[in-house]
Amino acid sequence: MVSNGGGDGTAARRLRRRLDAARLEGPLIAPGAYDALSARLIELAGFDAVYLTGFGAAASLLGKPDVGLLTGTDMADQARRLVLATHLPLIADADTGYGNALNVAHTVAVLEQAGVAAIQVEDQVSPKRCGHMSGKGVIDADEMAGKIRAAVDTRRDPDLVLIARTDAIAVDGVDEAIKRARAYREAGADALFIEAPTTEPDLERIAGELAGEMPLVFNRVDDGRTPHLSHQRMTELGFAVVLFPVTALFAATSGVRAALAGLAAAGAPPAVPPGTFDEFTALLGLPELRAREDRYA
């Protein structure tokens, strides 16, 4: 198994310690990375974890929306790249687990081997949709609980964090989502992720009923369905993890579109580029690689 842990333990152990400390330190902020470069930029910006976003991976690898087109192999390969690019704990979006409980077991084994610190599995029907799209459906809660038990039984490292996500709010409402979250906790999930609440009172209720039971994940999607709460408010409500899955993706897309529009209009790059060639290669670690090369020459 690949490990991107530092001297203070494996990445999974470091992530667990940070989740345990959330009540004192506030929620862990995990920006979404869609490729190895964005993961490296997240680390350089000083964050303590990175989230492999399925939405961003679909956009980056396929140029397609997040509608269940990525395979488990696609995501495992991308996870390996991100683990190698950064020392941060990686939270991996594993969609529905790509099938039944046996498929989930295989997905967990492959992602754990890739070196991820946490794996998120959701209860949508397959093919899934982005959690902030319309037209979602969910599988039976007992079937999802079986998937979670399979994930628990499969992991080799007990520190590997298993996150159970439910998309039931969009289908059956808040009551059902909370009921499912508790069932998934009983099945062995380490953290709960109720996707796409649409009002602040719903968020307050979810946090009020579940935050004292186990770590909760808040998904802060730019221009998504869920209200955008302040960091202070999320801390007050007791969320342990806040994901920003598409912030970097949207920023990168906007920047590339603007640069290409300028190039198309003027026939040349912008007069004042955002950085130099040497600055960019240094950001990617070229000086360190040169030093290592000299060491072994």
Side-chain angles (χ1 to χ4, degrees):
M1 180 179 70
V2 177
S3 174
N4 64 345
D8 54 350
T10 66
R13 190 170 304 127
R14 285 186 285 130
L15 180 61
R16 277 193 178 268
R17 284 202 297 262
R18 181 61 181 83
L19 294 183
D20 290 341
R23 290 191 178 278
L24 296 176
E25 300 179 12
L28 170 70
I29 305 299
Y34 50 90
D35 63 6
L37 175 58
S38 56
R40 183 170 177 84
L41 293 174
I42 288 166
E43 181 173 32
L44 292 173
F47 292 96
D48 294 326
V50 60
Y51 176 64
L52 171 53
T53 158
F55 185 100
S60 175
L61 293 173
L62 304 180
K64 300 290 185 181
D66 184 18
V67 291
L69 299 177
L70 284 176
T71 68
T73 300
D74 292 330
M75 290 299 284
D77 288 345
Q78 196 74 331
R80 290 188 188 94
R81 296 183 186 102
L82 269 63
V83 167
L84 290 173
T86 171
H87 295 96
L88 297 179
L90 178 67
I91 302 169
D93 181 357
D95 292 334
T96 64
Y98 311 103
N100 63 18
L102 294 181
N103 297 112
V104 170
H106 177 72
T107 297
V108 168
V110 172
L111 287 173
E112 184 174 17
Q113 185 183 53
V116 308
I119 299 172
Q120 168 199 311
V121 180
E122 66 199 45
D123 61 4
Q124 281 198 54
V125 298
S126 184
K128 58 80 52 87
R129 298 171 185 256
C130 165
H132 289 250
M133 292 179 182
S134 59
K136 295 188 295 181
V138 292
I139 62 175
D140 184 81
D142 289 340
E143 181 182 354
M144 178 63 177
K147 288 186 176 187
I148 295 167
R149 291 195 299 272
V152 171
D153 290 344
T154 301
R155 68 180 169 191
R156 295 183 177 183
D157 181 359
D159 286 323
L160 179 70
V161 178
L162 299 175
I163 302 171
R165 166 176 145 177
T166 179
D167 287 68
I169 280 184
V171 182
D172 298 309
V174 178
D175 288 344
E176 176 64 15
I178 292 174
K179 179 181 177 182
R180 282 175 176 249
R182 288 200 166 107
Y184 302 163
R185 178 200 63 194
E186 291 298 321
D190 300 303
L192 300 175
F193 176 174
I194 295 183
E195 174 66 307
T198 57
T199 69
E200 188 165 347
D202 284 348
L203 281 167
E204 292 171 348
R205 182 182 169 199
I206 290 165
E209 295 200 27
L210 297 174
E213 299 180 13
M214 67 189 312
L216 287 186
V217 177
F218 180 97
N219 199 26
R220 207 297 202 168
V221 176
D222 300 45
D223 198 36
R225 295 175 180 264
T226 302
H228 294 170
L229 305 184
S230 68
H231 184 78
Q232 179 179 349
R233 185 61 180 141
M234 289 185 288
T235 302
E236 292 170 351
L237 290 174
F239 284 96
V241 181
V242 181
L243 307 175
F244 287 80
V246 296
T247 301
L249 174 69
F250 286 3
T253 302
S254 178
V256 170
R257 291 184 70 184
L260 293 177
L263 178 60
V272 182
T276 68
F277 183 86
D278 288 343
E279 287 172 345
F280 188 77
T281 55
L283 179 140
L284 296 179
L286 181 60
E288 292 83 358
L289 288 174
R290 291 295 193 203
R292 289 185 65 193
E293 186 178 49
D294 292 340
R295 177 182 175 185
Y296 300 124

Short mmCIF file of all heavy atoms in Angstrom, two decimals, residues 143-202:
data_model
loop_
_atom_site.label_atom_id
_atom_site.label_comp_id
_atom_site.label_asym_id
_atom_site.label_seq_id
_atom_site.Cartn_x
_atom_site.Cartn_y
_atom_site.Cartn_z
N GLU A 143 -29.68 -2.12 1.67
CA GLU A 143 -28.65 -2.45 0.69
C GLU A 143 -27.41 -1.59 0.91
O GLU A 143 -26.27 -2.07 0.87
CB GLU A 143 -29.17 -2.25 -0.73
CG GLU A 143 -28.15 -2.60 -1.80
CD GLU A 143 -28.65 -2.37 -3.21
OE1 GLU A 143 -29.84 -2.04 -3.39
OE2 GLU A 143 -27.84 -2.52 -4.15
N MET A 144 -27.62 -0.32 1.19
CA MET A 144 -26.49 0.57 1.46
C MET A 144 -25.78 0.16 2.75
O MET A 144 -24.54 0.19 2.80
CB MET A 144 -26.97 2.01 1.55
CG MET A 144 -25.88 3.02 1.89
SD MET A 144 -24.60 3.09 0.61
CE MET A 144 -23.56 4.42 1.30
N ALA A 145 -26.51 -0.22 3.77
CA ALA A 145 -25.88 -0.67 5.01
C ALA A 145 -25.00 -1.89 4.74
O ALA A 145 -23.91 -2.03 5.32
CB ALA A 145 -26.94 -1.00 6.05
N GLY A 146 -25.45 -2.78 3.85
CA GLY A 146 -24.63 -3.92 3.48
C GLY A 146 -23.34 -3.50 2.80
O GLY A 146 -22.28 -4.09 3.02
N LYS A 147 -23.43 -2.47 1.96
CA LYS A 147 -22.21 -1.95 1.31
C LYS A 147 -21.22 -1.43 2.35
O LYS A 147 -20.01 -1.65 2.23
CB LYS A 147 -22.58 -0.84 0.33
CG LYS A 147 -23.29 -1.29 -0.93
CD LYS A 147 -23.47 -0.11 -1.87
CE LYS A 147 -24.07 -0.52 -3.21
NZ LYS A 147 -24.10 0.60 -4.17
N ILE A 148 -21.74 -0.74 3.36
CA ILE A 148 -20.85 -0.20 4.39
C ILE A 148 -20.20 -1.33 5.18
O ILE A 148 -19.00 -1.29 5.47
CB ILE A 148 -21.64 0.75 5.32
CG1 ILE A 148 -22.11 1.97 4.53
CG2 ILE A 148 -20.78 1.18 6.50
CD1 ILE A 148 -23.15 2.79 5.25
N ARG A 149 -20.98 -2.34 5.53
CA ARG A 149 -20.40 -3.48 6.25
C ARG A 149 -19.31 -4.15 5.42
O ARG A 149 -18.26 -4.56 5.95
CB ARG A 149 -21.49 -4.49 6.62
CG ARG A 149 -22.46 -3.98 7.69
CD ARG A 149 -23.28 -5.12 8.28
NE ARG A 149 -24.11 -5.78 7.28
CZ ARG A 149 -25.34 -5.40 6.94
NH1 ARG A 149 -25.88 -4.32 7.52
NH2 ARG A 149 -26.03 -6.06 6.04
N ALA A 150 -19.54 -4.25 4.12
CA ALA A 150 -18.52 -4.83 3.24
C ALA A 150 -17.26 -3.98 3.24
O ALA A 150 -16.13 -4.51 3.25
CB ALA A 150 -19.06 -4.97 1.81
N ALA A 151 -17.42 -2.66 3.24
CA ALA A 151 -16.27 -1.76 3.28
C ALA A 151 -15.49 -1.91 4.57
O ALA A 151 -14.25 -1.97 4.58
CB ALA A 151 -16.73 -0.31 3.10
N VAL A 152 -16.23 -1.98 5.69
CA VAL A 152 -15.58 -2.15 7.00
C VAL A 152 -14.80 -3.45 7.05
O VAL A 152 -13.65 -3.51 7.53
CB VAL A 152 -16.63 -2.10 8.12
CG1 VAL A 152 -16.01 -2.48 9.46
CG2 VAL A 152 -17.27 -0.72 8.21
N ASP A 153 -15.40 -4.53 6.57
CA ASP A 153 -14.74 -5.83 6.61
C ASP A 153 -13.53 -5.91 5.69
O ASP A 153 -12.63 -6.73 5.91
CB ASP A 153 -15.74 -6.93 6.22
CG ASP A 153 -16.81 -7.15 7.27
OD1 ASP A 153 -16.63 -6.69 8.42
OD2 ASP A 153 -17.84 -7.77 6.95
N THR A 154 -13.50 -5.07 4.65
CA THR A 154 -12.44 -5.15 3.65
C THR A 154 -11.20 -4.36 4.03
O THR A 154 -10.07 -4.79 3.74
CB THR A 154 -12.96 -4.64 2.29
OG1 THR A 154 -14.07 -5.44 1.88
CG2 THR A 154 -11.87 -4.71 1.22
N ARG A 155 -11.38 -3.20 4.65
CA ARG A 155 -10.21 -2.36 4.92
C ARG A 155 -9.21 -3.10 5.80
O ARG A 155 -9.57 -3.82 6.73
CB ARG A 155 -10.62 -1.04 5.56
CG ARG A 155 -11.17 -1.16 6.96
CD ARG A 155 -11.55 0.20 7.53
NE ARG A 155 -12.31 0.03 8.77
CZ ARG A 155 -12.97 1.01 9.38
NH1 ARG A 155 -12.97 2.23 8.89
NH2 ARG A 155 -13.64 0.76 10.50
N ARG A 156 -7.94 -2.90 5.50
CA ARG A 156 -6.87 -3.51 6.29
C ARG A 156 -6.40 -2.59 7.41
O ARG A 156 -6.02 -3.06 8.48
CB ARG A 156 -5.69 -3.87 5.37
CG ARG A 156 -6.02 -4.92 4.33
CD ARG A 156 -4.80 -5.28 3.51
NE ARG A 156 -5.09 -6.34 2.55
CZ ARG A 156 -4.18 -6.88 1.73
NH1 ARG A 156 -2.92 -6.45 1.78
NH2 ARG A 156 -4.52 -7.82 0.90
N ASP A 157 -6.40 -1.31 7.13
CA ASP A 157 -5.96 -0.32 8.12
C ASP A 157 -7.20 0.17 8.87
O ASP A 157 -8.07 0.82 8.28
CB ASP A 157 -5.26 0.85 7.43
CG ASP A 157 -4.76 1.90 8.40
OD1 ASP A 157 -4.97 1.75 9.62
OD2 ASP A 157 -4.16 2.89 7.93
N PRO A 158 -7.30 -0.09 10.17
CA PRO A 158 -8.48 0.37 10.91
C PRO A 158 -8.59 1.88 10.98
O PRO A 158 -9.67 2.40 11.30
CB PRO A 158 -8.28 -0.23 12.31
CG PRO A 158 -6.81 -0.48 12.41
CD PRO A 158 -6.35 -0.82 11.03
N ASP A 159 -7.52 2.61 10.65
CA ASP A 159 -7.58 4.07 10.65
C ASP A 159 -8.20 4.63 9.38
O ASP A 159 -8.56 5.81 9.32
CB ASP A 159 -6.17 4.67 10.82
CG ASP A 159 -5.65 4.54 12.24
OD1 ASP A 159 -6.46 4.66 13.17
OD2 ASP A 159 -4.44 4.30 12.41
N LEU A 160 -8.30 3.81 8.32
CA LEU A 160 -8.93 4.28 7.09
C LEU A 160 -10.35 4.75 7.40
O LEU A 160 -11.16 4.00 7.95
CB LEU A 160 -8.96 3.16 6.05
CG LEU A 160 -9.61 3.50 4.71
CD1 LEU A 160 -8.76 4.47 3.92
CD2 LEU A 160 -9.85 2.22 3.90
N VAL A 161 -10.67 5.98 7.04
CA VAL A 161 -11.96 6.59 7.39
C VAL A 161 -12.98 6.27 6.31
O VAL A 161 -12.75 6.53 5.13
CB VAL A 161 -11.82 8.11 7.55
CG1 VAL A 161 -13.17 8.75 7.85
CG2 VAL A 161 -10.81 8.44 8.66
N LEU A 162 -14.11 5.70 6.71
CA LEU A 162 -15.20 5.38 5.79
C LEU A 162 -16.33 6.38 5.99
O LEU A 162 -16.90 6.47 7.08
CB LEU A 162 -15.69 3.96 6.03
CG LEU A 162 -14.64 2.86 5.80
CD1 LEU A 162 -15.20 1.50 6.17
CD2 LEU A 162 -14.14 2.86 4.36
N ILE A 163 -16.62 7.12 4.94
CA ILE A 163 -17.65 8.16 4.98
C ILE A 163 -18.87 7.66 4.22
O ILE A 163 -18.79 7.32 3.04
CB ILE A 163 -17.14 9.46 4.33
CG1 ILE A 163 -15.88 9.96 5.05
CG2 ILE A 163 -18.23 10.54 4.35
CD1 ILE A 163 -15.19 11.12 4.34
N ALA A 164 -20.01 7.63 4.92
CA ALA A 164 -21.27 7.23 4.29
C ALA A 164 -22.06 8.47 3.91
O ALA A 164 -22.36 9.30 4.76
CB ALA A 164 -22.08 6.36 5.24
N ARG A 165 -22.38 8.57 2.64
CA ARG A 165 -23.15 9.72 2.15
C ARG A 165 -24.55 9.26 1.76
O ARG A 165 -24.71 8.21 1.12
CB ARG A 165 -22.44 10.33 0.94
CG ARG A 165 -23.31 11.31 0.15
CD ARG A 165 -22.54 11.94 -0.97
NE ARG A 165 -23.39 12.18 -2.14
CZ ARG A 165 -22.99 12.78 -3.26
NH1 ARG A 165 -21.74 13.20 -3.37
NH2 ARG A 165 -23.81 12.94 -4.27
N THR A 166 -25.54 10.05 2.14
CA THR A 166 -26.90 9.79 1.67
C THR A 166 -27.41 10.97 0.87
O THR A 166 -27.22 12.13 1.25
CB THR A 166 -27.87 9.48 2.83
OG1 THR A 166 -29.18 9.27 2.28
CG2 THR A 166 -27.92 10.60 3.85
N ASP A 167 -28.07 10.67 -0.24
CA ASP A 167 -28.70 11.67 -1.09
C ASP A 167 -30.22 11.64 -0.93
O ASP A 167 -30.96 12.13 -1.79
CB ASP A 167 -28.33 11.41 -2.55
CG ASP A 167 -26.90 11.79 -2.86
OD1 ASP A 167 -25.98 11.12 -2.35
OD2 ASP A 167 -26.68 12.76 -3.60
N ALA A 168 -30.69 11.14 0.21
CA ALA A 168 -32.12 10.90 0.40
C ALA A 168 -32.93 12.18 0.55
O ALA A 168 -34.15 12.15 0.35
CB ALA A 168 -32.34 10.01 1.62
N ILE A 169 -32.31 13.30 0.93
CA ILE A 169 -33.09 14.54 1.09
C ILE A 169 -33.85 14.87 -0.18
O ILE A 169 -35.03 15.22 -0.15
CB ILE A 169 -32.18 15.71 1.51
CG1 ILE A 169 -31.89 15.64 3.00
CG2 ILE A 169 -32.84 17.05 1.18
CD1 ILE A 169 -31.08 16.80 3.52
N ALA A 170 -33.17 14.77 -1.32
CA ALA A 170 -33.79 15.14 -2.59
C ALA A 170 -34.93 14.20 -2.98
O ALA A 170 -35.81 14.57 -3.77
CB ALA A 170 -32.74 15.17 -3.70
N VAL A 171 -34.95 13.00 -2.41
CA VAL A 171 -35.93 11.98 -2.80
C VAL A 171 -37.04 11.86 -1.77
O VAL A 171 -38.23 11.85 -2.10
CB VAL A 171 -35.23 10.62 -3.00
CG1 VAL A 171 -36.23 9.56 -3.44
CG2 VAL A 171 -34.10 10.75 -4.02
N ASP A 172 -36.64 11.76 -0.48
CA ASP A 172 -37.60 11.44 0.58
C ASP A 172 -37.60 12.42 1.75
O ASP A 172 -38.34 12.22 2.72
CB ASP A 172 -37.32 10.04 1.12
CG ASP A 172 -37.49 8.98 0.04
OD1 ASP A 172 -38.54 8.97 -0.62
OD2 ASP A 172 -36.57 8.16 -0.14
N GLY A 173 -36.78 13.48 1.70
CA GLY A 173 -36.82 14.48 2.74
C GLY A 173 -35.80 14.29 3.86
O GLY A 173 -35.07 13.29 3.92
N VAL A 174 -35.80 15.26 4.79
CA VAL A 174 -34.79 15.30 5.85
C VAL A 174 -34.96 14.15 6.83
O VAL A 174 -33.97 13.56 7.29
CB VAL A 174 -34.84 16.66 6.58
CG1 VAL A 174 -33.83 16.68 7.73
CG2 VAL A 174 -34.55 17.79 5.61
N ASP A 175 -36.19 13.83 7.19
CA ASP A 175 -36.42 12.75 8.16
C ASP A 175 -35.77 11.45 7.69
O ASP A 175 -35.09 10.76 8.45
CB ASP A 175 -37.92 12.52 8.38
CG ASP A 175 -38.58 13.63 9.17
OD1 ASP A 175 -37.84 14.41 9.81
OD2 ASP A 175 -39.82 13.73 9.15
N GLU A 176 -36.01 11.11 6.43
CA GLU A 176 -35.44 9.88 5.89
C GLU A 176 -33.92 9.95 5.83
O GLU A 176 -33.23 8.95 6.09
CB GLU A 176 -36.01 9.60 4.50
CG GLU A 176 -35.42 8.39 3.79
CD GLU A 176 -35.71 7.06 4.48
OE1 GLU A 176 -36.59 7.02 5.37
OE2 GLU A 176 -35.04 6.06 4.13
N ALA A 177 -33.37 11.13 5.48
CA ALA A 177 -31.92 11.27 5.41
C ALA A 177 -31.28 11.04 6.78
O ALA A 177 -30.26 10.35 6.90
CB ALA A 177 -31.56 12.65 4.88
N ILE A 178 -31.88 11.59 7.82
CA ILE A 178 -31.34 11.40 9.18
C ILE A 178 -31.48 9.95 9.61
O ILE A 178 -30.57 9.36 10.21
CB ILE A 178 -32.04 12.35 10.16
CG1 ILE A 178 -31.66 13.81 9.85
CG2 ILE A 178 -31.69 12.00 11.60
CD1 ILE A 178 -32.40 14.84 10.67
N LYS A 179 -32.60 9.35 9.28
CA LYS A 179 -32.82 7.93 9.61
C LYS A 179 -31.76 7.06 8.92
O LYS A 179 -31.17 6.15 9.54
CB LYS A 179 -34.22 7.50 9.17
CG LYS A 179 -34.54 6.04 9.43
CD LYS A 179 -35.95 5.71 8.94
CE LYS A 179 -36.27 4.23 9.12
NZ LYS A 179 -37.63 3.90 8.60
N ARG A 180 -31.51 7.33 7.65
CA ARG A 180 -30.49 6.57 6.92
C ARG A 180 -29.10 6.81 7.51
O ARG A 180 -28.30 5.87 7.65
CB ARG A 180 -30.50 6.97 5.44
CG ARG A 180 -31.62 6.33 4.64
CD ARG A 180 -31.65 6.84 3.21
NE ARG A 180 -32.67 6.15 2.43
CZ ARG A 180 -32.41 5.29 1.44
NH1 ARG A 180 -31.17 5.03 1.10
NH2 ARG A 180 -33.39 4.71 0.79
N ALA A 181 -28.79 8.06 7.85
CA ALA A 181 -27.47 8.35 8.42
C ALA A 181 -27.22 7.52 9.67
O ALA A 181 -26.14 6.95 9.86
CB ALA A 181 -27.37 9.84 8.74
N ARG A 182 -28.23 7.41 10.51
CA ARG A 182 -28.07 6.62 11.74
C ARG A 182 -27.91 5.13 11.41
O ARG A 182 -27.12 4.42 12.05
CB ARG A 182 -29.27 6.83 12.65
CG ARG A 182 -29.28 8.22 13.30
CD ARG A 182 -30.16 8.24 14.55
NE ARG A 182 -29.91 9.44 15.33
CZ ARG A 182 -30.74 10.48 15.42
NH1 ARG A 182 -31.89 10.47 14.76
NH2 ARG A 182 -30.43 11.52 16.16
N ALA A 183 -28.62 4.66 10.41
CA ALA A 183 -28.48 3.25 10.01
C ALA A 183 -27.08 2.99 9.46
O ALA A 183 -26.48 1.93 9.73
CB ALA A 183 -29.53 2.89 8.96
N TYR A 184 -26.55 3.94 8.74
CA TYR A 184 -25.21 3.77 8.18
C TYR A 184 -24.14 3.83 9.27
O TYR A 184 -23.12 3.14 9.20
CB TYR A 184 -24.95 4.82 7.11
CG TYR A 184 -25.96 4.81 5.96
CD1 TYR A 184 -26.09 5.90 5.10
CD2 TYR A 184 -26.79 3.70 5.75
CE1 TYR A 184 -27.00 5.89 4.07
CE2 TYR A 184 -27.71 3.69 4.72
CZ TYR A 184 -27.82 4.79 3.88
OH TYR A 184 -28.74 4.78 2.86
N ARG A 185 -24.39 4.65 10.28
CA ARG A 185 -23.48 4.68 11.43
C ARG A 185 -23.48 3.31 12.12
O ARG A 185 -22.42 2.77 12.45
CB ARG A 185 -23.92 5.76 12.41
CG ARG A 185 -23.04 5.84 13.68
CD ARG A 185 -23.79 6.54 14.79
NE ARG A 185 -24.97 5.78 15.18
CZ ARG A 185 -25.96 6.24 15.93
NH1 ARG A 185 -25.94 7.50 16.36
NH2 ARG A 185 -26.98 5.48 16.26
N GLU A 186 -24.65 2.74 12.30
CA GLU A 186 -24.75 1.43 12.94
C GLU A 186 -24.05 0.36 12.11
O GLU A 186 -23.54 -0.62 12.66
CB GLU A 186 -26.22 1.06 13.16
CG GLU A 186 -26.93 1.90 14.20
CD GLU A 186 -26.31 1.77 15.58
OE1 GLU A 186 -25.92 0.64 15.94
OE2 GLU A 186 -26.21 2.79 16.29
N ALA A 187 -24.04 0.53 10.80
CA ALA A 187 -23.38 -0.44 9.92
C ALA A 187 -21.86 -0.33 9.98
O ALA A 187 -21.17 -1.22 9.48
CB ALA A 187 -23.86 -0.26 8.49
N GLY A 188 -21.34 0.76 10.56
CA GLY A 188 -19.90 0.88 10.73
C GLY A 188 -19.24 2.09 10.11
O GLY A 188 -18.00 2.21 10.15
N ALA A 189 -20.02 3.01 9.54
CA ALA A 189 -19.42 4.21 8.96
C ALA A 189 -18.73 5.04 10.04
O ALA A 189 -19.19 5.10 11.19
CB ALA A 189 -20.48 5.05 8.26
N ASP A 190 -17.64 5.70 9.67
CA ASP A 190 -16.89 6.54 10.61
C ASP A 190 -17.34 7.99 10.58
O ASP A 190 -17.08 8.74 11.52
CB ASP A 190 -15.39 6.51 10.26
CG ASP A 190 -14.83 5.10 10.34
OD1 ASP A 190 -14.93 4.48 11.41
OD2 ASP A 190 -14.29 4.62 9.32
N ALA A 191 -17.95 8.42 9.49
CA ALA A 191 -18.42 9.79 9.34
C ALA A 191 -19.65 9.79 8.45
O ALA A 191 -19.83 8.88 7.63
CB ALA A 191 -17.33 10.69 8.75
N LEU A 192 -20.48 10.81 8.61
CA LEU A 192 -21.75 10.90 7.88
C LEU A 192 -21.77 12.15 7.01
O LEU A 192 -21.30 13.21 7.41
CB LEU A 192 -22.92 10.93 8.85
CG LEU A 192 -23.08 9.73 9.77
CD1 LEU A 192 -24.21 9.97 10.76
CD2 LEU A 192 -23.32 8.46 8.96
N PHE A 193 -22.37 12.00 5.85
CA PHE A 193 -22.41 13.07 4.85
C PHE A 193 -23.83 13.07 4.29
O PHE A 193 -24.20 12.20 3.52
CB PHE A 193 -21.36 12.74 3.79
CG PHE A 193 -21.27 13.66 2.60
CD1 PHE A 193 -20.25 13.49 1.68
CD2 PHE A 193 -22.17 14.70 2.37
CE1 PHE A 193 -20.13 14.30 0.57
CE2 PHE A 193 -22.07 15.52 1.27
CZ PHE A 193 -21.05 15.32 0.37
N ILE A 194 -24.64 14.03 4.73
CA ILE A 194 -25.98 14.21 4.17
C ILE A 194 -25.90 15.26 3.08
O ILE A 194 -25.63 16.43 3.35
CB ILE A 194 -27.00 14.59 5.27
CG1 ILE A 194 -27.14 13.44 6.26
CG2 ILE A 194 -28.35 14.93 4.64
CD1 ILE A 194 -28.18 13.66 7.35
N GLU A 195 -26.12 14.85 1.86
CA GLU A 195 -25.88 15.70 0.70
C GLU A 195 -27.07 16.62 0.41
O GLU A 195 -28.23 16.23 0.50
CB GLU A 195 -25.59 14.83 -0.53
CG GLU A 195 -25.46 15.57 -1.85
CD GLU A 195 -24.27 16.50 -1.93
OE1 GLU A 195 -24.11 17.35 -1.03
OE2 GLU A 195 -23.50 16.39 -2.91
N ALA A 196 -26.72 17.86 0.07
CA ALA A 196 -27.61 18.85 -0.54
C ALA A 196 -28.83 19.25 0.29
O ALA A 196 -29.94 19.32 -0.26
CB ALA A 196 -28.02 18.40 -1.94
N PRO A 197 -28.68 19.55 1.60
CA PRO A 197 -29.79 20.23 2.29
C PRO A 197 -30.01 21.59 1.62
O PRO A 197 -29.05 22.23 1.20
CB PRO A 197 -29.28 20.40 3.73
CG PRO A 197 -28.12 19.46 3.85
CD PRO A 197 -27.53 19.34 2.48
N THR A 198 -31.24 22.02 1.54
CA THR A 198 -31.53 23.23 0.77
C THR A 198 -31.86 24.45 1.63
O THR A 198 -32.03 25.54 1.09
CB THR A 198 -32.70 22.98 -0.19
OG1 THR A 198 -33.83 22.54 0.56
CG2 THR A 198 -32.32 21.93 -1.22
N THR A 199 -31.94 24.28 2.96
CA THR A 199 -32.24 25.42 3.83
C THR A 199 -31.35 25.37 5.05
O THR A 199 -30.88 24.30 5.48
CB THR A 199 -33.71 25.42 4.30
OG1 THR A 199 -33.91 24.32 5.21
CG2 THR A 199 -34.67 25.30 3.12
N GLU A 200 -31.12 26.54 5.65
CA GLU A 200 -30.33 26.59 6.87
C GLU A 200 -31.02 25.86 8.02
O GLU A 200 -30.33 25.16 8.79
CB GLU A 200 -30.00 28.04 7.25
CG GLU A 200 -29.02 28.14 8.39
CD GLU A 200 -28.41 29.52 8.54
OE1 GLU A 200 -28.56 30.35 7.61
OE2 GLU A 200 -27.79 29.77 9.59
N PRO A 201 -32.35 25.95 8.18
CA PRO A 201 -32.99 25.15 9.23
C PRO A 201 -32.75 23.65 9.07
O PRO A 201 -32.60 22.94 10.07
CB PRO A 201 -34.47 25.51 9.07
CG PRO A 201 -34.47 26.91 8.55
CD PRO A 201 -33.30 26.94 7.59
N ASP A 202 -32.72 23.16 7.83
CA ASP A 202 -32.42 21.75 7.63
C ASP A 202 -31.01 21.42 8.10
O ASP A 202 -30.77 20.38 8.74
CB ASP A 202 -32.58 21.37 6.15
CG ASP A 202 -34.03 21.24 5.72
OD1 ASP A 202 -34.91 21.21 6.61
OD2 ASP A 202 -34.27 21.18 4.50
#
